[in-house]
Amino acid sequence: WEEERYPEGIKWKFLEHKGPVFAPPYEPLPENVKFYYDGKVMKLSTKAEEVATFFAKMLDHEYTTKEIFRKNFFKDWRKEMTSEEKSTITNLSKCDFTHMSQYFKAQTEARKQMSKEEKQKIKEENERLLKEYGYCVMDNHKERIANFKIEPPGLFRGRGNHPKMGMLKRRIMPEDIIINCSKDSKIPAPPPGHKWKEVRHDNKVTWLVSWTENIQGSIKYIMLNPSSRIKGEKDWQKYETARRLKKCVDKIRNQYREDWKSKEMKVRQRAVALYFIDKLALRAGNEKEEGETADTVGCCSLRVEHIKLHPELDGQEYVVEFDFLGKDSIRYYNKVPVEKRVFKNLQLFMENKQPEDDLFDRLNTSILNKHLQDLMEGLTAKVFRTYNASITLQQQLKELTNPDDNIPAKILSYNRANRAVAILCNHQRAPPKTFEKSMMNLQSKIDAKKEQLADARRELKSAKADAKVRRDEKSKKTVESKKKAVQRIEEQLMKLEVQATDREENKQIALGTSKLNYLDPRISVAWCKKWGIPIEKIYNKTQREKFAWAIDMAEEDYEF
């Protein structure tokens, strides 16, 4: 951490790596695995067969029943066919992939049944790849690379109802790849018979490899692991920016409240949007190409149809009801009481507009971000999210932690504080498929513990009666040991019950996103140090590597 810093914008002076690991080549299906068209066996060309296997592997998935997925897949699959195949295969509904699908299921089963030795062999091969390709040298450090393997080809899924789902993700070849390394390093060699698209030496960026994927036309990168110095430093800076916001947030809040009364419509809209971003941790919401992506919005791109105004609802005044699809097509639904001025402004913004019109028609993200930049250097909507998430965690931990609780109970309090943040940021998940089953298992464990506790208590009672009669050392000792047994079982029961509460409350909330991206890790580290909680109860191994800087830096009195 304490090494010399480079001039502004320069990320490294020396960078050397081995390049990416490509997806293994396609292995054609064995002769006995058949594809049927219109009830007849049909042998496919290698290219067409490969794309067919992608669909076959997803046959049990609901994606393959969706109209748009099937349409996009069929269109892209036809591009890979020979002219004969194209003239024969004209209808996806006549294609029968079941035989292929069964073959892949059997393969998956076989992998599960592998012997220890076979598994060990695969593990060793993966370790060899990691050793050779998984590290780079940046300046004087050997650093771990995050994703050195390039994604294999397959069918695009996307989140929510993505208009491009089912399209073919092409195989990435060396000819698509841009390599970034320093001039004086050993430049990675492309696979035999191939060449790189380009080799560059750009030390103002931190990526090692990049390519453009064919579906969205977005650029993909191979970067360093989160535990690397360059990523850790960026992470640390992010939370320092959020802490700077803490110093001026009151001033900013007073300013946007004043702006609700502005004579300029543009200023009023900006001020109401900022209030939402601050109070509700909404994302800014960029403008997007229509038809290219799923119809998701953020604060600036909200439309009139996404909110309903209630002068009174459930005994509260001035309630705004939000209902829209946010990032990754996650639904945001919330009923929030707002200040009267905000309510009146929203009524004004919605006047004479159609449902599909923009709510903030005088505002876009660049106008908003420019304004934020004027308020504080480095301020964006995301900084508000980070600030509000971290400050909420800190406040909740103060309120919820009971100094007299044991460790499992304190960890429950921690998870409850983390849940408050996940709810603020709207981080949801579908209840895990195995949820009911694992809850039943846990419940039966609890029932068994309760029986065990009843037995132990009975034993204690008779030992006490026995001791009353005998009045000797031996029976006194027996009472003591039975007492301890009861205490031990009570603690175990409590631990299980806490676990059950935790799981139930966590059923539809994703804690990981905020823990990794929005919460200053120093708050958690300080909390652990203060209450003597082992850090591994809060962060797993990967997370401890990512947050090594915080574990090293934060003392128990750290304040965000």
Side-chain angles (χ1 to χ4, degrees):
W1 299 109
E2 278 74 40
E3 286 179 21
E4 58 148 342
R5 298 275 173 268
Y6 295 137
E8 194 55 37
I10 289 183
K11 309 288 189 193
W12 46 263
K13 290 187 175 165
F14 180 81
L15 175 60
E16 181 170 275
H17 57 92
K18 281 281 180 47
V21 172
F22 289 92
Y26 175 65
E27 286 180 24
L29 293 171
E31 286 300 318
N32 62 344
V33 180
K34 309 273 194 255
F35 166 75
Y36 297 86
Y37 185 72
D38 208 4
K40 299 184 191 64
V41 173
M42 182 173 173
K43 178 83 183 123
L44 296 171
S45 63
T46 311
K47 273 174 107 174
E49 181 188 89
E50 180 179 10
V51 178
T53 63
F54 301 152
F55 194 85
K57 283 176 183 169
M58 288 179 71
L59 213 50
D60 286 352
H61 209 291
E62 62 159 340
Y63 272 112
T64 50
T65 62
K66 291 185 181 177
E67 196 41 52
I68 180 106
F69 188 96
R70 295 173 68 90
K71 194 181 118 204
N72 286 336
F73 162 73
F74 196 57
K75 189 177 159 191
D76 275 4
W77 185 27
R78 286 177 62 80
K79 291 177 194 161
E80 303 299 314
M81 294 177 186
T82 61
S83 47
E84 278 158 62
E85 287 168 336
K86 257 188 214 162
S87 58
T88 311
I89 302 174
T90 53
N91 184 343
L92 183 57
S93 307
K94 291 184 178 175
C95 297
D96 180 358
F97 300 94
T98 41
H99 201 193
M100 284 185 181
S101 171
Q102 283 158 356
Y103 168 72
F104 289 121
K105 277 186 206 154
Q107 273 200 315
T108 307
E109 260 325 292
R111 271 199 297 276
K112 285 181 190 162
Q113 306 303 328
M114 262 183 204
S115 69
K116 233 182 179 161
E117 293 75 46
E118 291 173 301
K119 280 185 183 159
Q120 186 57 32
K121 228 169 137 179
I122 290 176
K123 194 178 165 195
E124 279 166 11
E125 173 57 19
N126 284 337
E127 279 169 3
R128 187 191 67 75
L129 277 179
L130 175 67
K131 219 169 154 178
E132 186 175 350
Y133 293 94
Y135 293 89
C136 70
V137 176
M138 187 177 270
D139 297 333
N140 305 316
H141 301 275
K142 184 179 175 184
E143 298 269 30
R144 187 71 195 270
I145 301 170
N147 51 333
F148 57 92
K149 290 182 177 173
I150 286 182
E151 277 182 34
L155 303 181
F156 178 73
R157 299 183 184 197
R159 306 277 178 111
N161 272 327
H162 201 291
K164 295 190 168 185
M165 63 164 79
M167 284 173 69
L168 175 64
K169 281 199 302 194
R170 283 192 312 106
R171 180 179 288 275
I172 301 298
M173 303 301 282
E175 286 69 15
D176 301 312
I177 295 285
I178 299 171
I179 296 283
N180 192 28
C181 58
S182 57
K183 277 189 181 138
D184 55 352
S185 72
K186 190 170 174 252
I187 291 167
H194 290 278
K195 51 181 194 291
W196 303 124
K197 179 179 177 180
E198 187 190 333
V199 175
R200 42 174 98 149
H201 313 291
D202 181 357
N203 66 357
K204 289 188 169 60
V205 296
T206 59
W207 54 265
L208 320 181
V209 173
S210 87
W211 66 95
T212 304
E213 56 86 39
N214 64 301
I215 289 178
Q216 314 260 55
S218 61
I219 301 175
K220 299 275 190 184
Y221 299 100
I222 290 181
M223 302 259 196
L224 293 193
N225 202 31
S227 65
S228 60
R229 191 203 62 159
I230 210 147
K231 289 288 185 195
E233 208 158 83
K234 203 169 172 223
D235 217 27
W236 174 35
Q237 289 309 319
K238 171 173 83 178
Y239 295 112
E240 288 304 301
T241 305
R243 287 175 87 191
R244 287 206 333 265
L245 172 58
K246 184 185 175 181
K247 293 194 182 84
C248 57
V249 75
D250 290 331
K251 199 177 100 197
I252 291 173
R253 284 171 178 163
N254 292 335
Q255 168 80 56
Y256 70 58
R257 303 176 97 84
E258 278 304 304
D259 287 346
W260 293 339
K261 300 179 273 191
S262 167
K263 291 196 170 52
E264 271 189 89
M265 185 58 125
K266 186 179 130 184
V267 175
R268 281 199 193 196
Q269 289 192 0
R270 190 180 70 192
V272 171
L274 190 47
Y275 169 76
F276 286 162
I277 284 168
D278 182 18
K279 186 179 160 76
L280 303 172
L282 297 186
R283 293 182 181 89
N286 291 311
E287 291 76 54
K288 301 189 305 186
E289 300 300 314
E290 261 181 58
E292 287 295 299
T293 50
D295 177 28
T296 62
V297 298
C299 187
C300 294
S301 44
L302 282 170
R303 299 192 291 270
V304 172
E305 61 195 302
H306 294 135
I307 69 169
K308 283 197 185 93
L309 301 180
H310 305 279
E312 200 204 5
L313 185 71
D314 307 331
Q316 290 177 307
E317 281 192 316
Y318 307 121
V319 176
V320 182
E321 183 179 354
F322 291 86
D323 193 352
F324 62 89
L325 291 182
K327 183 178 171 183
D328 292 340
S329 295
I330 300 284
R331 180 182 179 203
Y332 183 90
Y333 181 76
N334 202 355
K335 290 187 270 207
V336 198
V338 298
E339 299 188 33
K340 185 177 176 180
R341 272 242 154 74
V342 172
F343 196 84
K344 296 286 179 207
N345 269 317
L346 288 169
Q347 285 175 321
L348 185 65
F349 302 162
M350 289 165 82
E351 258 174 29
N352 306 322
K353 281 188 189 171
Q354 298 302 310
E356 65 278 4
D357 289 342
D358 285 340
L359 179 64
F360 302 117
D361 52 297
R362 309 280 172 92
L363 185 68
N364 59 36
T365 36
S366 47
I367 294 173
L368 181 75
N369 279 328
K370 168 142 193 359
H371 174 63
L372 292 176
Q373 192 62 35
D374 293 341
L375 293 173
M376 180 192 109
E377 194 193 339
L379 186 57
T380 62
K382 189 178 175 179
V383 180
F384 272 98
R385 248 169 107 78
T386 307
Y387 162 76
N388 279 314
S390 291
I391 209 86
T392 303
L393 181 76
Q394 185 164 281
Q395 286 161 350
Q396 290 285 316
L397 284 175
K398 276 184 186 153
E399 281 169 35
L400 296 173
T401 311
N402 176 358
D404 305 328
D405 276 348
N406 62 9
I407 287 183
K410 282 201 177 93
I411 291 168
L412 176 65
S413 300
Y414 178 88
N415 285 345
R416 283 186 166 152
N418 192 346
R419 270 196 283 281
V421 174
I423 290 166
L424 171 77
C425 294
N426 198 40
H427 293 150
Q428 307 174 18
R429 61 170 185 176
K433 288 193 177 72
T434 56
F435 181 78
E436 295 304 328
K437 197 176 161 198
S438 70
M439 269 317 247
M440 274 163 61
N441 289 347
L442 196 51
Q443 196 50 53
S444 54
K445 273 186 194 168
I446 289 173
D447 295 340
K449 256 309 159 223
K450 281 181 176 165
E451 276 176 32
Q452 201 185 341
L453 183 58
D455 291 344
R457 282 183 176 149
R458 271 198 297 276
E459 283 177 25
L460 174 61
K461 203 174 174 184
S462 65
K464 276 181 178 166
D466 202 31
K468 249 185 189 166
V469 178
R470 296 197 176 186
R471 296 201 170 148
D472 61 353
E473 265 317 298
K474 194 181 170 195
S475 53
K476 242 191 193 166
K477 270 190 179 151
T478 309
V479 170
E480 278 311 305
S481 79
K482 297 284 181 205
K483 243 190 204 161
K484 278 197 178 126
V486 169
Q487 277 173 337
R488 195 173 62 243
I489 296 165
E490 279 176 340
E491 266 183 24
Q492 289 166 340
L493 177 64
M494 169 173 173
K495 208 170 176 175
L496 287 169
E497 284 176 331
V498 162
Q499 221 182 334
T501 312
D502 211 17
R503 254 188 226 177
E504 181 55 54
E505 290 177 6
N506 224 20
K507 185 172 164 183
Q508 286 177 291
I509 295 169
L511 294 183
T513 316
S514 55
K515 206 179 208 175
L516 281 179
N517 301 312
Y518 291 106
L519 295 173
D520 183 341
R522 290 169 293 186
I523 300 168
S524 302
V525 172
W527 180 83
C528 284
K529 287 183 181 172
K530 183 174 179 179
W531 300 112
I533 309 246
I535 212 119
E536 47 278 7
K537 297 274 186 201
I538 301 297
Y539 291 134
N540 65 28
K541 184 168 176 283
T542 317
Q543 292 164 339
R544 291 197 300 275
E545 286 172 4
K546 173 176 168 133
F547 295 139
W549 59 271
I551 293 171
D552 194 41
M553 208 185 273
E555 291 308 322
E556 63 173 69
D557 56 358
Y558 175 78
E559 282 277 328
F560 176 72

